[in-house]
Amino acid sequence: MKNCTVLIVDDEENMRTLMEMYLLNSGYHCLQAPDGVQAISLLEKHEVDLILLDIMMPGDNGFMVCEKIHQKWDLPVIFVSAKGAEWDKVKGLKLGADDFVVKPFHPGELVARVEAVLRRSGKKQQTENETISLGKIKMNLKSRTAAIEGNTVNLTLKEYELLIYLITNKKQALSREQLLTHVWGVSYEGSLRTVDTHIKTLRMKLKSADYIQTVWGIGYKIEEEYEA
């Protein structure tokens, strides 16, 4: 089910080996790079689904490498660094990182963060199917677009990710906390009303294909039959 490749970028060989061991045990493929130059080189030669990126490295630091990566590739990035100050986290997220893990970390935490980011980005589903359907809705995981009865629906990135998560967890009552964590990330500090606001706009855009149900006291769920 995994079949995803993670690029580990860290100047400490022991740390790269440790992270690779955790990920291999969880079914991921891994590539390693000790700096930004080699990371870019590997990205040009291999298909990568997610990047684990250190900050303090020789040459370009992780922030600079992240900027260069996003200039050429649309890939999820998780910073993994001993620099755990709030300023570092904020800067990383502003540069487009999907999450921030502070060293030292528990193996389970690292794998869980990778799982969550891949789930939000749709990479895990892409390895199995390029499209998923629910009633009148068809989601293309490769182009990250949505259509209702063949007509494209203009969704924001978060609306798209929210709808994907609801569809792939159909018939399950998902709490606002779950939705906030899986769509916005564990480092997001906004309120639960963020979920309600996005659900409201999503429902307006789905119109006749609005299969989202409110589960009072919990959150939301989708009940329509799901086809992959």
Side-chain angles (χ1 to χ4, degrees), residues 27 31 34 36 66 77 87 93 98-99 107 115 138 141 159 161 182 193:
L31 296 171
C66 183
V77 173
W87 181 88
L93 295 172
D98 296 81
D99 207 343
E115 291 273 348
K138 188 171 185 178
L141 299 171
E159 288 168 351
E161 293 175 346
H182 285 283
R193 290 189 61 82

Side-chain angles (χ1 to χ4, degrees), residues 115-127:
E115 291 273 348
V117 169
L118 285 172
R119 190 180 298 113
R120 294 199 304 272
S121 70
K123 292 292 183 179
K124 288 179 71 174
Q125 294 95 334
Q126 274 188 36
T127 63

Side-chain angles (χ1 to χ4, degrees), residues 141-198:
L141 299 171
K142 190 171 184 178
S143 63
R144 298 179 69 79
T145 57
I148 296 176
E149 296 184 319
N151 299 311
T152 300
V153 183
N154 186 23
L155 300 180
T156 66
L157 175 61
K158 292 307 180 187
E159 288 168 351
Y160 175 89
E161 293 175 346
L162 189 57
L163 184 56
I164 281 288
Y165 189 61
L166 285 165
I167 291 176
T168 53
N169 290 277
K170 70 179 183 75
K171 297 185 179 181
Q172 295 184 43
L174 302 170
S175 69
R176 290 172 175 82
E177 290 84 356
Q178 282 178 282
L179 294 169
L180 196 69
T181 297
H182 285 283
V183 176
W184 281 267
V186 294
S187 301
Y188 182 74
E189 296 181 353
S191 72
L192 295 178
R193 290 189 61 82
T194 299
V195 175
D196 296 330
T197 300
H198 281 75

Side-chain angles (χ1 to χ4, degrees), residues 9-12 34 53-63 79-83 88 103:
V9 188
D10 196 302
D11 63 322
E12 295 183 19
L53 182 59
D54 187 23
I55 294 178
M56 299 301 293
M57 297 186 295
D60 290 347
N61 63 35
F63 295 136
F79 278 112
V80 184
S81 174
K83 290 174 66 65
D88 294 307
K103 300 175 184 175

